[in-house]
Amino acid sequence: MTNLNPSDKALVPFVSVDQMMKLIHHIGVEDMLRGLAEYIEADFKRWELFDKTPRVASHSEKGVIELMPTSDGDVYGFKYVNGHPDNTKDGFQTVTAFGLLANVNNGYPVLLTEMTILTALRTAATSAVVARLLAPKGAHVMAMIGNGAQSEFQSLAMKAICGVDEVRLYDIDRAATAKCARNLAGHGIKVVECDTAEDAIMGAQIITTCTADKQYATILTDNMVGSGVHINAIGGDCPGKTELAPAILHRSDIFVEFPEQTRIEGEIQQLDADHAVTEIWQVLTGQAEGRRSAEQITLFDSVGFAIEDFSALRYVRDQIAETGLFQPLDLLADPDDPRDLFGMLQRAG
Amino acid sequence: MTNLNPSDKALVPFVSVDQMMKLIHHIGVEDMLRGLAEYIEADFKRWELFDKTPRVASHSEKGVIELMPTSDGDVYGFKYVNGHPDNTKDGFQTVTAFGLLANVNNGYPVLLTEMTILTALRTAATSAVVARLLAPKGAHVMAMIGNGAQSEFQSLAMKAICGVDEVRLYDIDRAATAKCARNLAGHGIKVVECDTAEDAIMGAQIITTCTADKQYATILTDNMVGSGVHINAIGGDCPGKTELAPAILHRSDIFVEFPEQTRIEGEIQQLDADHAVTEIWQVLTGQAEGRRSAEQITLFDSVGFAIEDFSALRYVRDQIAETGLFQPLDLLADPDDPRDLFGMLQRAG
């Protein structure tokens, strides 16, 4: 029997950028952030199960291309992601990404998807999972410093998952702040455009920093940060790129995803290699303490870890069957007789 | 300006299995093998230029999933490939693969393609590049031991690139041999079906072994191998999987792709870690000697290296523009303003 059409085994569900946007609108962005947060929290709670290969980076003068694989023993996932700070000058994205899930038992991919938008969502959902855990009781005002591509997602995740009802925006580029405010209008969250970082921080219990310069920057200085806040530091995420003055780090209790990676990429690259940090997953499982007092400064030194992408890929896989928001991609050769690849090729001629 | 259609920057050329088969028929399988051989030889000759990350493997009880990245500084490529020996029992392929090329300067992918068929072609083309370099003068008969998915590709590559005009087939499964012979009929090469490995080797100057068991097997014993032959050992390609008796290795001069990888995965995992081997690229550039005498046994301990996939990806990239045998894939989010990812999402609603 010769079947020239690809079989089901040959086809991998592919979620395009357009289909990802449709999926988000179908589910609703806040519901999707909540859904992602559930999957991320579930995977953090079974942290020890995962194969935690360090990301595989290929560096060049202009930026980096990385592969971030992980596996829970049943499913394998990886994300391809680039980071090229100068890209925006040429109208390209600083970061683009796609990802793949595969069945560990036979190695066959089960999902290929855009991940530029999905990464923005999972980063925000992760921030909110951690803020819910560490922010002071009753926190409802967030300062959002850096109003680029991640800022709206952060704001809505903090609203959907932590009950934040006011965001105070600041960016050195006023147009970015205006863009963020415009985009958040009508989303049921009070938006205040601020002229200075100091102004943005006024009355905020959560301070999120997310700026993009590839350099040792000081977005927050020591005197700006009062006691009792939760700092959600997103932007310091590769060697040579940090946002916070070291003095703030010394006053804070620092929480991280995966210390081996954060010590290289995060804010704590500014500290000694043995500076004490707490792993988020251990707080979630009750093995480590989170916030201990109302005065304590908690700091989430977020760099993004493969398991968060894995959670996001799992979430998307579980949504697409019902919605049909994917297209079958003829990615895998599947001859009737696996030993007869050449025969399949020959018959296609 | 709001453009809801994906821009050119968002679209990545994708070559499906069907399109790859059409491309091969359009070019002709032997011409394509010759073309791939040219690209592979060119890349081997600039070997030192490449970023040679070891492959990133995720092992499980049933098999392995690997990412094989490399870069020449201008272009970055990686292959996803699985190896699951038991897959054929369930009608799945032992090995499936896909690959990607990206622009190093901005990190944007420029090609996504099936690589199951392409890997079969590049493996055969690599074998032939090496056999042309090392086989005894006037070699024109090849023994092909193991008549699975790779056997026809090996036979045609040796014909197209090395002038082999007779292949002598042997497999423990007679049906595999019959399948291979049937597929090679009409390709201008004399095909002899043999009852034993000893019979297959009679009069052959090139001996190719390509069997699939994940175990220490002995496809060739010492007394079967006479002087002056070139052995092209394909099947020993992961830890615990070899095909040749150690005594043969000790009588041979051994040539490898990348010693660091071959010592773990190749036939030479049976030898001391400091056993002398010669790197193929050094023979191609004249920095090391190839065959020195008619009596010498040369052995290519082939495991497959990322640079060969990179060459194959470059070759396909250079063919598809003219033939149109690809489809544009909406893989990358590309907002008009890179900082306004959320705005793009919102407008799509």
Side-chain angles (χ1 to χ4, degrees), chain A residues 17 25 80 84 87 93 102 104 106-108 173 179 183 187 330 338-340 345-346, chain B residues 17 25 80 82 84 87 93 102 104 106-108 173 179 183 187 330 338-340 345-346:
Chain A
V17 172
H25 286 288
Y80 169 103
H84 287 73
N87 266 8
Q93 290 276 100
V104 165
N106 63 14
Y108 270 51
D173 178 3
K179 177 261 330 176
N183 284 336
H187 282 277
D330 174 25
R339 293 174 313 179
D340 197 14
L345 170 62
Q346 196 146 259
Chain B
V17 172
H25 286 289
Y80 170 103
N82 76 299
H84 288 73
N87 265 9
Q93 290 277 101
V104 165
N106 64 14
Y108 271 52
D173 178 2
K179 177 262 329 178
N183 284 337
H187 280 277
D330 174 24
R339 294 173 313 180
D340 197 13
L345 170 63
Q346 195 146 260

mmCIF file of all heavy atoms in Angstrom, chain A residues 17 25 80 84 87 93 102 104 106-108 173 179 183 187 330 338-340 345-346, chain B residues 17 25 80 82 84 87 93 102 104 106-108 173 179 183 187 330 338-340 345-346:
data_model
loop_
_atom_site.group_PDB
_atom_site.id
_atom_site.type_symbol
_atom_site.label_atom_id
_atom_site.label_comp_id
_atom_site.label_asym_id
_atom_site.label_seq_id
_atom_site.Cartn_x
_atom_site.Cartn_y
_atom_site.Cartn_z
ATOM 1 N N VAL A 17 1.939 32.921 14.654
ATOM 2 C CA VAL A 17 1.750 34.159 15.411
ATOM 3 C C VAL A 17 0.273 34.569 15.366
ATOM 4 O O VAL A 17 -0.320 34.919 16.387
ATOM 5 C CB VAL A 17 2.640 35.282 14.831
ATOM 6 C CG1 VAL A 17 2.302 36.627 15.477
ATOM 7 C CG2 VAL A 17 4.110 34.942 15.025
ATOM 8 N N HIS A 25 -7.022 35.942 22.356
ATOM 9 C CA HIS A 25 -8.318 36.637 22.364
ATOM 10 C C HIS A 25 -9.459 35.676 22.666
ATOM 11 O O HIS A 25 -10.425 36.048 23.321
ATOM 12 C CB HIS A 25 -8.542 37.362 21.037
ATOM 13 C CG HIS A 25 -7.701 38.589 20.920
ATOM 14 N ND1 HIS A 25 -7.954 39.729 21.654
ATOM 15 C CD2 HIS A 25 -6.583 38.859 20.205
ATOM 16 C CE1 HIS A 25 -7.038 40.639 21.380
ATOM 17 N NE2 HIS A 25 -6.189 40.139 20.501
ATOM 18 N N TYR A 80 13.811 28.172 21.156
ATOM 19 C CA TYR A 80 14.852 28.904 20.434
ATOM 20 C C TYR A 80 14.580 30.370 20.708
ATOM 21 O O TYR A 80 13.453 30.840 20.521
ATOM 22 C CB TYR A 80 14.721 28.627 18.938
ATOM 23 C CG TYR A 80 15.580 29.523 18.051
ATOM 24 C CD1 TYR A 80 16.755 29.046 17.493
ATOM 25 C CD2 TYR A 80 15.195 30.832 17.762
ATOM 26 C CE1 TYR A 80 17.537 29.856 16.676
ATOM 27 C CE2 TYR A 80 15.977 31.656 16.949
ATOM 28 C CZ TYR A 80 17.141 31.158 16.410
ATOM 29 O OH TYR A 80 17.909 31.951 15.602
ATOM 30 N N HIS A 84 19.150 40.392 20.610
ATOM 31 C CA HIS A 84 19.992 41.304 19.819
ATOM 32 C C HIS A 84 19.569 42.738 20.096
ATOM 33 O O HIS A 84 18.651 43.257 19.442
ATOM 34 C CB HIS A 84 19.866 40.972 18.322
ATOM 35 C CG HIS A 84 20.562 39.712 17.923
ATOM 36 N ND1 HIS A 84 20.084 38.468 18.240
ATOM 37 C CD2 HIS A 84 21.736 39.500 17.247
ATOM 38 C CE1 HIS A 84 20.918 37.544 17.770
ATOM 39 N NE2 HIS A 84 21.920 38.140 17.163
ATOM 40 N N ASN A 87 18.687 45.348 17.389
ATOM 41 C CA ASN A 87 17.727 44.994 16.340
ATOM 42 C C ASN A 87 16.665 46.050 16.080
ATOM 43 O O ASN A 87 16.239 46.241 14.943
ATOM 44 C CB ASN A 87 17.024 43.670 16.698
ATOM 45 C CG ASN A 87 17.711 42.470 16.061
ATOM 46 O OD1 ASN A 87 18.780 42.594 15.490
ATOM 47 N ND2 ASN A 87 17.076 41.315 16.164
ATOM 48 N N GLN A 93 12.745 42.805 16.029
ATOM 49 C CA GLN A 93 12.543 42.610 17.458
ATOM 50 C C GLN A 93 13.873 42.296 18.154
ATOM 51 O O GLN A 93 14.703 41.560 17.604
ATOM 52 C CB GLN A 93 11.625 41.413 17.689
ATOM 53 C CG GLN A 93 10.195 41.629 17.273
ATOM 54 C CD GLN A 93 9.442 42.328 18.382
ATOM 55 O OE1 GLN A 93 9.232 43.536 18.338
ATOM 56 N NE2 GLN A 93 9.047 41.594 19.378
ATOM 57 N N ALA A 102 7.929 17.666 22.539
ATOM 58 C CA ALA A 102 8.008 16.342 21.928
ATOM 59 C C ALA A 102 7.722 15.271 22.974
ATOM 60 O O ALA A 102 7.893 15.490 24.179
ATOM 61 C CB ALA A 102 9.392 16.120 21.322
ATOM 62 N N VAL A 104 8.683 12.151 24.883
ATOM 63 C CA VAL A 104 9.971 11.559 25.265
ATOM 64 C C VAL A 104 10.071 10.090 24.838
ATOM 65 O O VAL A 104 11.128 9.614 24.446
ATOM 66 C CB VAL A 104 10.194 11.685 26.795
ATOM 67 C CG1 VAL A 104 11.323 10.777 27.276
ATOM 68 C CG2 VAL A 104 10.502 13.140 27.160
ATOM 69 N N ASN A 106 8.944 8.477 22.180
ATOM 70 C CA ASN A 106 9.306 8.157 20.795
ATOM 71 C C ASN A 106 10.022 9.307 20.078
ATOM 72 O O ASN A 106 10.388 9.164 18.905
ATOM 73 C CB ASN A 106 8.089 7.683 19.989
ATOM 74 C CG ASN A 106 7.023 8.759 19.862
ATOM 75 O OD1 ASN A 106 7.272 9.933 20.134
ATOM 76 N ND2 ASN A 106 5.831 8.373 19.439
ATOM 77 N N GLY A 107 10.224 10.417 20.771
ATOM 78 C CA GLY A 107 10.991 11.512 20.186
ATOM 79 C C GLY A 107 10.238 12.330 19.152
ATOM 80 O O GLY A 107 10.811 13.231 18.546
ATOM 81 N N TYR A 108 8.959 12.028 18.957
ATOM 82 C CA TYR A 108 8.187 12.751 17.939
ATOM 83 C C TYR A 108 7.657 14.081 18.489
ATOM 84 O O TYR A 108 7.038 14.106 19.555
ATOM 85 C CB TYR A 108 7.008 11.892 17.462
ATOM 86 C CG TYR A 108 7.345 11.006 16.288
ATOM 87 C CD1 TYR A 108 8.469 10.181 16.337
ATOM 88 C CD2 TYR A 108 6.571 10.995 15.137
ATOM 89 C CE1 TYR A 108 8.800 9.368 15.256
ATOM 90 C CE2 TYR A 108 6.887 10.177 14.056
ATOM 91 C CZ TYR A 108 8.003 9.364 14.123
ATOM 92 O OH TYR A 108 8.325 8.572 13.057
ATOM 93 N N ASP A 173 12.014 57.174 27.874
ATOM 94 C CA ASP A 173 11.359 57.600 26.637
ATOM 95 C C ASP A 173 9.863 57.805 26.912
ATOM 96 O O ASP A 173 9.118 56.862 27.102
ATOM 97 C CB ASP A 173 11.570 56.541 25.555
ATOM 98 C CG ASP A 173 10.871 56.896 24.250
ATOM 99 O OD1 ASP A 173 10.262 57.992 24.174
ATOM 100 O OD2 ASP A 173 10.934 56.079 23.318
ATOM 101 N N LYS A 179 2.574 54.980 25.073
ATOM 102 C CA LYS A 179 2.144 53.751 24.381
ATOM 103 C C LYS A 179 1.578 52.746 25.370
ATOM 104 O O LYS A 179 0.499 52.174 25.187
ATOM 105 C CB LYS A 179 3.353 53.163 23.630
ATOM 106 C CG LYS A 179 3.159 51.875 22.901
ATOM 107 C CD LYS A 179 3.627 50.571 23.574
ATOM 108 C CE LYS A 179 4.778 50.601 24.515
ATOM 109 N NZ LYS A 179 5.065 49.295 25.152
ATOM 110 N N ASN A 183 -2.296 51.450 25.657
ATOM 111 C CA ASN A 183 -2.638 50.030 25.527
ATOM 112 C C ASN A 183 -3.396 49.489 26.728
ATOM 113 O O ASN A 183 -4.192 48.557 26.604
ATOM 114 C CB ASN A 183 -1.374 49.190 25.316
ATOM 115 C CG ASN A 183 -0.826 49.316 23.900
ATOM 116 O OD1 ASN A 183 -1.562 49.645 22.965
ATOM 117 N ND2 ASN A 183 0.463 49.057 23.732
ATOM 118 N N HIS A 187 -8.652 48.405 30.428
ATOM 119 C CA HIS A 187 -8.404 47.072 31.000
ATOM 120 C C HIS A 187 -8.717 47.012 32.492
ATOM 121 O O HIS A 187 -8.348 46.046 33.165
ATOM 122 C CB HIS A 187 -6.955 46.640 30.734
ATOM 123 C CG HIS A 187 -6.733 46.151 29.338
ATOM 124 N ND1 HIS A 187 -7.008 44.858 28.946
ATOM 125 C CD2 HIS A 187 -6.300 46.776 28.215
ATOM 126 C CE1 HIS A 187 -6.723 44.703 27.653
ATOM 127 N NE2 HIS A 187 -6.290 45.856 27.184
ATOM 128 N N ASP A 330 3.658 19.403 7.823
ATOM 129 C CA ASP A 330 4.242 18.171 7.268
ATOM 130 C C ASP A 330 5.753 18.177 7.533
ATOM 131 O O ASP A 330 6.570 18.386 6.655
ATOM 132 C CB ASP A 330 3.913 18.138 5.763
ATOM 133 C CG ASP A 330 4.582 16.999 5.019
ATOM 134 O OD1 ASP A 330 4.908 15.984 5.657
ATOM 135 O OD2 ASP A 330 4.777 17.147 3.795
ATOM 136 N N PRO A 338 9.256 1.926 7.938
ATOM 137 C CA PRO A 338 10.295 2.843 8.412
ATOM 138 C C PRO A 338 11.664 2.589 7.781
ATOM 139 O O PRO A 338 12.481 3.507 7.681
ATOM 140 C CB PRO A 338 10.339 2.572 9.920
ATOM 141 C CG PRO A 338 8.996 2.036 10.252
ATOM 142 C CD PRO A 338 8.545 1.262 9.050
ATOM 143 N N ARG A 339 11.914 1.352 7.348
ATOM 144 C CA ARG A 339 13.217 1.078 6.735
ATOM 145 C C ARG A 339 13.252 1.505 5.267
ATOM 146 O O ARG A 339 14.274 1.421 4.611
ATOM 147 C CB ARG A 339 13.539 -0.418 6.834
ATOM 148 C CG ARG A 339 13.778 -0.885 8.264
ATOM 149 C CD ARG A 339 13.927 -2.380 8.278
ATOM 150 N NE ARG A 339 12.842 -3.005 7.487
ATOM 151 C CZ ARG A 339 12.701 -4.309 7.294
ATOM 152 N NH1 ARG A 339 13.568 -5.135 7.830
ATOM 153 N NH2 ARG A 339 11.703 -4.782 6.597
ATOM 154 N N ASP A 340 12.082 1.936 4.764
ATOM 155 C CA ASP A 340 12.006 2.214 3.329
ATOM 156 C C ASP A 340 11.831 3.695 3.032
ATOM 157 O O ASP A 340 10.938 4.104 2.292
ATOM 158 C CB ASP A 340 10.877 1.391 2.700
ATOM 159 C CG ASP A 340 11.037 1.318 1.186
ATOM 160 O OD1 ASP A 340 12.132 1.663 0.692
ATOM 161 O OD2 ASP A 340 10.065 0.933 0.505
ATOM 162 N N LEU A 345 10.548 8.175 -0.989
ATOM 163 C CA LEU A 345 11.076 9.249 -1.837
ATOM 164 C C LEU A 345 10.868 8.910 -3.316
ATOM 165 O O LEU A 345 10.412 9.745 -4.101
ATOM 166 C CB LEU A 345 12.571 9.426 -1.530
ATOM 167 C CG LEU A 345 13.380 10.333 -2.461
ATOM 168 C CD1 LEU A 345 12.851 11.763 -2.410
ATOM 169 C CD2 LEU A 345 14.860 10.304 -2.075
ATOM 170 N N GLN A 346 11.184 7.676 -3.680
ATOM 171 C CA GLN A 346 11.104 7.265 -5.077
ATOM 172 C C GLN A 346 9.648 7.312 -5.583
ATOM 173 O O GLN A 346 9.386 7.778 -6.684
ATOM 174 C CB GLN A 346 11.670 5.853 -5.202
ATOM 175 C CG GLN A 346 12.007 5.460 -6.604
ATOM 176 C CD GLN A 346 13.231 4.544 -6.634
ATOM 177 O OE1 GLN A 346 14.342 4.955 -6.925
ATOM 178 N NE2 GLN A 346 13.011 3.291 -6.303
ATOM 179 N N VAL B 17 8.229 17.882 4.245
ATOM 180 C CA VAL B 17 8.698 16.595 3.726
ATOM 181 C C VAL B 17 8.347 16.482 2.246
ATOM 182 O O VAL B 17 9.178 16.089 1.427
ATOM 183 C CB VAL B 17 8.063 15.435 4.524
ATOM 184 C CG1 VAL B 17 8.389 14.091 3.880
ATOM 185 C CG2 VAL B 17 8.540 15.472 5.974
ATOM 186 N N HIS B 25 13.710 15.390 -6.363
ATOM 187 C CA HIS B 25 13.378 14.950 -7.722
ATOM 188 C C HIS B 25 13.676 16.042 -8.742
ATOM 189 O O HIS B 25 14.097 15.760 -9.856
ATOM 190 C CB HIS B 25 11.928 14.494 -7.801
ATOM 191 C CG HIS B 25 11.709 13.171 -7.153
ATOM 192 N ND1 HIS B 25 12.173 11.992 -7.699
ATOM 193 C CD2 HIS B 25 11.133 12.823 -5.978
ATOM 194 C CE1 HIS B 25 11.870 10.977 -6.902
ATOM 195 N NE2 HIS B 25 11.242 11.452 -5.845
ATOM 196 N N TYR B 80 17.309 19.273 15.281
ATOM 197 C CA TYR B 80 16.635 18.472 16.304
ATOM 198 C C TYR B 80 16.585 17.065 15.773
ATOM 199 O O TYR B 80 16.149 16.853 14.632
ATOM 200 C CB TYR B 80 15.207 19.003 16.506
ATOM 201 C CG TYR B 80 14.318 18.108 17.361
ATOM 202 C CD1 TYR B 80 14.046 18.426 18.679
ATOM 203 C CD2 TYR B 80 13.730 16.955 16.834
ATOM 204 C CE1 TYR B 80 13.218 17.623 19.457
ATOM 205 C CE2 TYR B 80 12.918 16.142 17.604
ATOM 206 C CZ TYR B 80 12.667 16.478 18.922
ATOM 207 O OH TYR B 80 11.855 15.683 19.691
ATOM 208 N N ASN B 82 15.894 12.786 17.000
ATOM 209 C CA ASN B 82 15.681 11.782 18.036
ATOM 210 C C ASN B 82 16.286 10.464 17.580
ATOM 211 O O ASN B 82 16.522 10.250 16.384
ATOM 212 C CB ASN B 82 14.190 11.599 18.320
ATOM 213 C CG ASN B 82 13.507 10.791 17.223
ATOM 214 O OD1 ASN B 82 13.495 11.222 16.069
ATOM 215 N ND2 ASN B 82 12.973 9.623 17.547
ATOM 216 N N HIS B 84 15.329 6.508 18.662
ATOM 217 C CA HIS B 84 14.519 5.596 19.475
ATOM 218 C C HIS B 84 14.466 4.239 18.782
ATOM 219 O O HIS B 84 13.591 3.998 17.940
ATOM 220 C CB HIS B 84 13.114 6.171 19.696
ATOM 221 C CG HIS B 84 13.072 7.326 20.642
ATOM 222 N ND1 HIS B 84 13.540 8.577 20.305
ATOM 223 C CD2 HIS B 84 12.657 7.416 21.943
ATOM 224 C CE1 HIS B 84 13.388 9.395 21.354
ATOM 225 N NE2 HIS B 84 12.866 8.722 22.359
ATOM 226 N N ASN B 87 11.218 2.285 18.036
ATOM 227 C CA ASN B 87 10.121 2.977 17.358
ATOM 228 C C ASN B 87 9.504 2.182 16.208
ATOM 229 O O ASN B 87 8.300 2.244 15.979
ATOM 230 C CB ASN B 87 10.592 4.325 16.809
ATOM 231 C CG ASN B 87 10.311 5.469 17.766
ATOM 232 O OD1 ASN B 87 9.903 5.232 18.913
ATOM 233 N ND2 ASN B 87 10.526 6.692 17.318
ATOM 234 N N GLN B 93 9.418 6.073 12.944
ATOM 235 C CA GLN B 93 10.810 6.073 12.505
ATOM 236 C C GLN B 93 11.754 6.025 13.710
ATOM 237 O O GLN B 93 11.490 6.676 14.730
ATOM 238 C CB GLN B 93 11.108 7.370 11.752
ATOM 239 C CG GLN B 93 10.450 7.489 10.413
ATOM 240 C CD GLN B 93 11.266 6.779 9.358
ATOM 241 O OE1 GLN B 93 10.945 5.660 8.952
ATOM 242 N NE2 GLN B 93 12.332 7.400 8.930
ATOM 243 N N ALA B 102 19.679 30.346 10.936
ATOM 244 C CA ALA B 102 19.343 31.711 11.338
ATOM 245 C C ALA B 102 20.507 32.642 11.025
ATOM 246 O O ALA B 102 21.662 32.216 10.935
ATOM 247 C CB ALA B 102 19.016 31.766 12.824
ATOM 248 N N VAL B 104 23.085 35.195 12.095
ATOM 249 C CA VAL B 104 23.771 35.471 13.366
ATOM 250 C C VAL B 104 23.635 36.941 13.768
ATOM 251 O O VAL B 104 23.518 37.264 14.945
ATOM 252 C CB VAL B 104 25.258 35.064 13.277
ATOM 253 C CG1 VAL B 104 26.067 35.661 14.431
ATOM 254 C CG2 VAL B 104 25.389 33.549 13.271
ATOM 255 N N ASN B 106 21.194 39.135 13.430
ATOM 256 C CA ASN B 106 19.959 39.579 14.088
ATOM 257 C C ASN B 106 19.167 38.444 14.734
ATOM 258 O O ASN B 106 18.115 38.682 15.319
ATOM 259 C CB ASN B 106 19.065 40.394 13.125
ATOM 260 C CG ASN B 106 18.566 39.582 11.953
ATOM 261 O OD1 ASN B 106 18.654 38.351 11.961
ATOM 262 N ND2 ASN B 106 18.047 40.255 10.949
ATOM 263 N N GLY B 107 19.665 37.227 14.628
ATOM 264 C CA GLY B 107 19.010 36.107 15.303
ATOM 265 C C GLY B 107 17.747 35.614 14.641
ATOM 266 O O GLY B 107 17.080 34.715 15.179
ATOM 267 N N TYR B 108 17.396 36.183 13.487
ATOM 268 C CA TYR B 108 16.150 35.783 12.827
ATOM 269 C C TYR B 108 16.358 34.509 12.001
ATOM 270 O O TYR B 108 17.286 34.439 11.194
ATOM 271 C CB TYR B 108 15.645 36.912 11.910
ATOM 272 C CG TYR B 108 14.740 37.887 12.609
ATOM 273 C CD1 TYR B 108 15.119 38.487 13.800
ATOM 274 C CD2 TYR B 108 13.487 38.213 12.083
ATOM 275 C CE1 TYR B 108 14.287 39.384 14.447
ATOM 276 C CE2 TYR B 108 12.648 39.115 12.727
ATOM 277 C CZ TYR B 108 13.058 39.696 13.901
ATOM 278 O OH TYR B 108 12.222 40.580 14.544
ATOM 279 N N ASP B 173 18.077 -9.613 7.830
ATOM 280 C CA ASP B 173 16.695 -9.712 7.359
ATOM 281 C C ASP B 173 16.696 -9.684 5.826
ATOM 282 O O ASP B 173 16.932 -8.646 5.214
ATOM 283 C CB ASP B 173 15.884 -8.551 7.931
ATOM 284 C CG ASP B 173 14.436 -8.564 7.440
ATOM 285 O OD1 ASP B 173 14.066 -9.497 6.688
ATOM 286 O OD2 ASP B 173 13.693 -7.633 7.809
ATOM 287 N N LYS B 179 14.284 -5.312 -0.466
ATOM 288 C CA LYS B 179 13.780 -3.935 -0.577
ATOM 289 C C LYS B 179 14.842 -3.010 -1.160
ATOM 290 O O LYS B 179 14.593 -2.223 -2.084
ATOM 291 C CB LYS B 179 13.349 -3.459 0.829
ATOM 292 C CG LYS B 179 12.871 -2.054 0.974
ATOM 293 C CD LYS B 179 13.857 -0.983 1.482
ATOM 294 C CE LYS B 179 14.930 -1.364 2.428
ATOM 295 N NZ LYS B 179 15.837 -0.264 2.802
ATOM 296 N N ASN B 183 14.756 -1.089 -4.780
ATOM 297 C CA ASN B 183 14.841 0.377 -4.866
ATOM 298 C C ASN B 183 15.997 0.842 -5.743
ATOM 299 O O ASN B 183 15.931 1.913 -6.347
ATOM 300 C CB ASN B 183 14.989 0.992 -3.470
ATOM 301 C CG ASN B 183 13.679 0.997 -2.692
ATOM 302 O OD1 ASN B 183 12.599 0.943 -3.279
ATOM 303 N ND2 ASN B 183 13.778 1.041 -1.362
ATOM 304 N N HIS B 187 18.953 2.286 -11.391
ATOM 305 C CA HIS B 187 19.793 3.434 -11.037
ATOM 306 C C HIS B 187 21.202 3.318 -11.611
ATOM 307 O O HIS B 187 22.111 4.050 -11.218
ATOM 308 C CB HIS B 187 19.853 3.610 -9.517
ATOM 309 C CG HIS B 187 18.628 4.295 -8.956
ATOM 310 N ND1 HIS B 187 18.471 5.656 -8.948
ATOM 311 C CD2 HIS B 187 17.491 3.786 -8.433
ATOM 312 C CE1 HIS B 187 17.295 5.967 -8.412
ATOM 313 N NE2 HIS B 187 16.670 4.841 -8.092
ATOM 314 N N ASP B 330 4.402 31.747 9.313
ATOM 315 C CA ASP B 330 4.177 32.914 10.178
ATOM 316 C C ASP B 330 4.681 32.593 11.592
ATOM 317 O O ASP B 330 3.917 32.396 12.512
ATOM 318 C CB ASP B 330 2.674 33.232 10.155
ATOM 319 C CG ASP B 330 2.278 34.334 11.110
ATOM 320 O OD1 ASP B 330 3.136 35.164 11.458
ATOM 321 O OD2 ASP B 330 1.096 34.351 11.510
ATOM 322 N N PRO B 338 8.639 47.611 17.459
ATOM 323 C CA PRO B 338 9.100 46.456 18.238
ATOM 324 C C PRO B 338 8.733 46.533 19.724
ATOM 325 O O PRO B 338 8.595 45.506 20.375
ATOM 326 C CB PRO B 338 10.622 46.483 18.047
ATOM 327 C CG PRO B 338 10.830 47.192 16.761
ATOM 328 C CD PRO B 338 9.734 48.220 16.678
ATOM 329 N N ARG B 339 8.580 47.751 20.257
ATOM 330 C CA ARG B 339 8.227 47.866 21.681
ATOM 331 C C ARG B 339 6.740 47.682 21.917
ATOM 332 O O ARG B 339 6.275 47.694 23.038
ATOM 333 C CB ARG B 339 8.661 49.239 22.216
ATOM 334 C CG ARG B 339 10.164 49.434 22.236
ATOM 335 C CD ARG B 339 10.489 50.868 22.601
ATOM 336 N NE ARG B 339 9.667 51.790 21.808
ATOM 337 C CZ ARG B 339 9.714 53.109 21.901
ATOM 338 N NH1 ARG B 339 10.533 53.665 22.776
ATOM 339 N NH2 ARG B 339 8.956 53.862 21.144
ATOM 340 N N ASP B 340 5.996 47.554 20.796
ATOM 341 C CA ASP B 340 4.535 47.526 20.945
ATOM 342 C C ASP B 340 3.946 46.171 20.589
ATOM 343 O O ASP B 340 3.022 46.052 19.791
ATOM 344 C CB ASP B 340 3.907 48.627 20.089
ATOM 345 C CG ASP B 340 2.469 48.896 20.528
ATOM 346 O OD1 ASP B 340 2.081 48.409 21.623
ATOM 347 O OD2 ASP B 340 1.729 49.546 19.772
ATOM 348 N N LEU B 345 -0.974 42.688 19.409
ATOM 349 C CA LEU B 345 -1.910 41.678 19.901
ATOM 350 C C LEU B 345 -3.305 42.262 20.030
ATOM 351 O O LEU B 345 -4.301 41.667 19.610
ATOM 352 C CB LEU B 345 -1.411 41.170 21.266
ATOM 353 C CG LEU B 345 -2.352 40.294 22.074
ATOM 354 C CD1 LEU B 345 -2.656 38.999 21.329
ATOM 355 C CD2 LEU B 345 -1.738 39.974 23.446
ATOM 356 N N GLN B 346 -3.377 43.462 20.598
ATOM 357 C CA GLN B 346 -4.676 44.084 20.847
ATOM 358 C C GLN B 346 -5.406 44.400 19.538
ATOM 359 O O GLN B 346 -6.606 44.162 19.418
ATOM 360 C CB GLN B 346 -4.449 45.372 21.655
ATOM 361 C CG GLN B 346 -5.696 45.921 22.285
ATOM 362 C CD GLN B 346 -5.382 46.570 23.639
ATOM 363 O OE1 GLN B 346 -5.583 45.984 24.694
ATOM 364 N NE2 GLN B 346 -4.883 47.784 23.589
#
